[in-house]
Amino acid sequence: MGVRLMVVDDHRLLAEALASALKLRGHRVLAAAAPAAGAAELVITRAPEVCLLGTAAPAEPGAFDPVTRIKRERPQVAVLVLGPVPSPRGIAAAFAAGASGYVRHDERIEGVERAIMKARAGEAAVAPALLQGAFAELLNPTAQPDDEGQRLLQMLTPREVEVLVRVADGEDTRLIAAGMGIAPSTARTHVQRVLMKLGVGSRLEAAALAARTGLLDRAGPLRHPGSSPEPGTRPEL
């Protein structure tokens, strides 16, 4: 007995080819393509037994928001995600959103059909190895590394990083100038550039941002490295 299906994907050719292949195998395909933004609305309106929902970036935030909405408003619809080779995090996110399974875009039609039948029967439609990795991720989520500190560090010159480190250590302009062997006016200019690049309005905010993002730890080798005076300048105390 055929399954009442929807194939929803941004890539019209892919969606139509898959829909045609499924029709030839006796399934009733209600729609073949739609932009991702309108996928949930289309599925909620048509209410198929199984929806094949395409995604190009399963690891992106919000990639499975349509799945969440479909399951909230049409819980009887089984949603199979169509996507690229997934990571355990992507699989975990799909299941957490309420998907019944995950099918790779390059899966043979026989594999797609098996997944459809499993999803309609209420079973998890995903390769055992992927499923194991997904549940491991759900039970023991790995924290995403915070790379904001590295991004901020790349915005600053080595001298500006040293200035920021000194600011975070509570040094005022005169101490920064003396420690780096530069004029106070030059130190003041460096401080203002650091504040501008970090998008903050005060030294206190700059120090707090540097500490929160781990920038100070990343800048460890530059902590008071014993700077030599800039060419053409001498300390002004």
Side-chain angles (χ1 to χ4, degrees), residues 166 169-181 187 236-237:
R166 291 178 180 276
D169 283 346
E171 294 187 9
D172 60 17
T173 301
R174 289 173 61 84
L175 284 174
I176 293 172
M180 297 179 65
E236 294 179 15
L237 304 176

Side-chain angles (χ1 to χ4, degrees), residues 55-160:
T55 180
E60 290 295 316
F64 302 114
D65 286 352
V67 180
T68 302
R69 186 183 169 200
I70 291 167
K71 296 305 293 184
R72 182 176 65 246
E73 300 192 29
R74 294 286 188 180
Q76 73 276 18
V77 176
V79 181
L80 281 175
V81 174
L82 283 170
V85 178
S87 66
R89 183 175 294 275
I91 291 287
F95 275 96
S100 297
Y102 192 106
V103 181
R104 286 173 43 171
H105 275 139
D106 59 356
E107 180 65 71
R108 295 174 62 87
I109 190 62
E110 293 83 4
V112 176
E113 188 173 38
R114 281 195 299 270
I116 290 170
M117 302 309 292
K118 283 186 175 183
R120 186 174 68 168
E123 301 175 25
V126 65
L130 294 179
L131 187 60
Q132 183 178 5
F135 281 118
E137 178 66 29
L138 283 172
L139 294 173
N140 301 288
T142 303
Q144 290 279 25
D146 182 4
D147 61 355
E148 186 179 2
Q150 182 62 35
R151 179 181 63 81
L152 294 174
L153 194 62
Q154 291 174 346
M155 294 170 55
L156 305 175
T157 67
R159 187 164 289 271
E160 288 168 347

Side-chain angles (χ1 to χ4, degrees), residues 193-206:
R193 286 178 178 168
V194 168
L195 298 183
M196 180 183 67
K197 287 185 177 182
L198 295 183
V200 296
S202 69
R203 297 182 183 211
L204 183 59
E205 288 181 79

Side-chain angles (χ1 to χ4, degrees), residues 158-163 166 171 175-182 190 221-230 233 235:
R159 187 164 289 271
E160 288 168 347
V161 171
E162 184 182 349
V163 168
R166 291 178 180 276
E171 294 187 9
L175 284 174
I176 293 172
M180 297 179 65
I182 58 178
H190 281 316
L222 292 174
R223 266 193 183 278
H224 298 193
S227 302
S228 57
E230 291 183 346
T233 66

Side-chain angles (χ1 to χ4, degrees), residues 208-234:
L209 178 63
R212 177 177 61 79
T213 60
L215 192 155
L216 295 178
D217 294 333
R218 295 173 183 268
L222 292 174
R223 266 193 183 278
H224 298 193
S227 302
S228 57
E230 291 183 346
T233 66
R234 59 185 178 85

